[in-house]
Amino acid sequence: MRPAKYHPFPKSSPQSRFHADQPLAELGFAEQFAVWCLRVQWRMPEEGKEPSVLLQRAFDALDLPGGAALVAELASALTRTVPRPLSIPCPRWRVLTSDEVRVLNFIAALQRQGANPRAALDPSFMAAPCGASPIWAPAQKLALALSAAGLMLGSAHAPASPFPEVMPRILH
């Protein structure tokens, strides 16, 4: 029997800009790009082990050549870690899923100075009772790479970032 406090799908924290069923159109470019990358990679065969060529082109446009491999590494870690099927829909899905909210919140916490990423890491993403998670390192690498490209997720004080001029031609 589960304890009374057990919540299989925890709600977003009050300070979070993300919530399940939130329209992607409400998000800035950084968030939309991160979600799109995860969705494209999730559709790759072999549990997302190989980076997508489409993703590589998108990251090349952002002068971030290793980005596609980082997304593939994160997708692979998620597949190995979470024992249930994750709700990562096709790239054209118009709203966030609860699992995408968890990933976005974690990456955003890794990017924010003074944030507590461990608090943002969903308990279902933990692989061991000691709190170790195989997604920590790939998520941290991706968070750093996105930061280096100027893509900050979940910044509560910044307005939604506009789409770079080159991206619509590549992504659509």
Side-chain angles (χ1 to χ4, degrees):
M1 181 163 192
R2 294 182 181 144
K5 292 175 76 177
Y6 177 78
H7 297 286
F9 299 105
K11 302 264 185 210
S12 301
S13 63
Q15 68 271 19
S16 173
R17 284 184 38 187
F18 316 120
H19 57 84
D21 297 324
Q22 182 176 7
L24 289 179
E26 292 179 0
L27 302 177
F29 174 74
E31 292 87 0
Q32 287 187 33
F33 184 72
V35 169
W36 177 82
C37 288
L38 188 58
R39 288 176 178 184
V40 168
Q41 187 60 45
W42 204 257
R43 297 290 166 244
M44 294 297 296
E46 306 267 335
E47 299 179 352
K49 291 183 182 174
E50 294 297 319
S52 160
V53 172
L54 183 60
L55 282 185
Q56 188 57 56
R57 287 180 30 215
F59 277 104
D60 287 346
L62 293 173
D63 291 327
L64 221 145
L70 296 175
V71 174
E73 186 180 352
L74 177 59
S76 179
L78 283 166
T79 301
R80 289 188 321 268
T81 304
V82 182
R84 63 176 172 77
L86 290 174
S87 60
I88 311 282
C90 94
R92 294 178 187 226
W93 195 254
R94 296 179 184 260
V95 296
L96 287 175
T97 67
S98 56
D99 285 322
E100 290 169 331
V101 168
R102 290 176 179 95
V103 172
L104 283 178
N105 283 332
F106 184 55
I107 292 173
L110 287 168
Q111 287 184 321
R112 279 193 312 271
Q113 186 174 16
N116 181 1
R118 183 163 300 284
L121 181 61
D122 189 271
S124 69
F125 291 174
M126 301 288 193
C130 65
S133 176
I135 75 159
W136 190 284
Q140 190 170 35
K141 289 179 202 173
L142 181 60
L144 288 170
L146 291 173
S147 296
L151 299 176
M152 298 299 292
L153 278 66
S155 176
H157 304 293
S161 53
F163 279 78
E165 190 90 17
V166 71
M167 295 314 287
R169 290 191 301 258
I170 290 176
L171 302 182
H172 299 291

